[in-house]
Amino acid sequence: MRSPPPLPRLPFALLVLGACSSSTVSPNLPSSDVQIILGASTKGSAAFSPNPFTESAATRTKVVWVNADESDNGYGTSGTTHHLVSDNGVFDSGDIAPGAGYSFTFPGPGTYSYHCSIHPTMTGTITITP
């Protein structure tokens, strides 16, 4: 039985650079209205996409957030937990792990500001129109 040919030898620097250059969002995230983006803790109001988010109460009042703040560092997926809280106390998501989601059905039309209690500079706005 013949042995397979040897693998080509790459310089160590290429192996290290190749392992460190990957940074992608998991393709297996649930569908969402608003995503918490990669690196959100340093993005302020740009941490949420889209922001602001507007929905018509005539269509629906449920909004779904997904924490897409995760990456593959070459050794497995890692990410940042976030915790969304409305500024007027209407909702509190609890901790949202990377890749997980949270949904809330708003009580009616209005503008609802929120932030991440772990990273307070992350701010967003949901508007439910009549």
Side-chain angles (χ1 to χ4, degrees), residues 21-45:
S21 64
S22 177
S23 179
T24 59
V25 173
S26 170
N28 300 321
L29 294 173
S31 66
S32 65
D33 297 307
V34 180
Q35 280 199 355
I36 302 169
I37 68 167
L38 183 63
S41 64
T42 63
K43 306 282 186 192
S45 63

Side-chain angles (χ1 to χ4, degrees), residues 9 14 21 33 40 43 71 107 114 117 120 126:
R9 296 184 63 138
L14 285 178
S21 64
D33 297 307
K43 306 282 186 192
S71 64
Y114 64 96
S117 66
I126 303 293

Side-chain angles (χ1 to χ4, degrees), residues 40-69:
S41 64
T42 63
K43 306 282 186 192
S45 63
F48 303 100
S49 180
N51 186 27
F53 177 77
T54 301
E55 184 64 65
S56 168
T59 306
R60 64 186 172 89
T61 57
K62 179 180 179 181
V63 175
V64 178
W65 289 263
V66 168
N67 184 355
D69 193 358

Side-chain angles (χ1 to χ4, degrees), residues 102-129:
Y102 168 73
S103 67
F104 181 77
T105 301
F106 287 86
T111 299
Y112 303 88
S113 298
Y114 64 96
H115 64 278
C116 175
S117 66
I118 301 169
H119 311 99
T121 60
M122 292 173 53
T123 59
T125 304
I126 303 293
T127 300
I128 306 295
T129 61

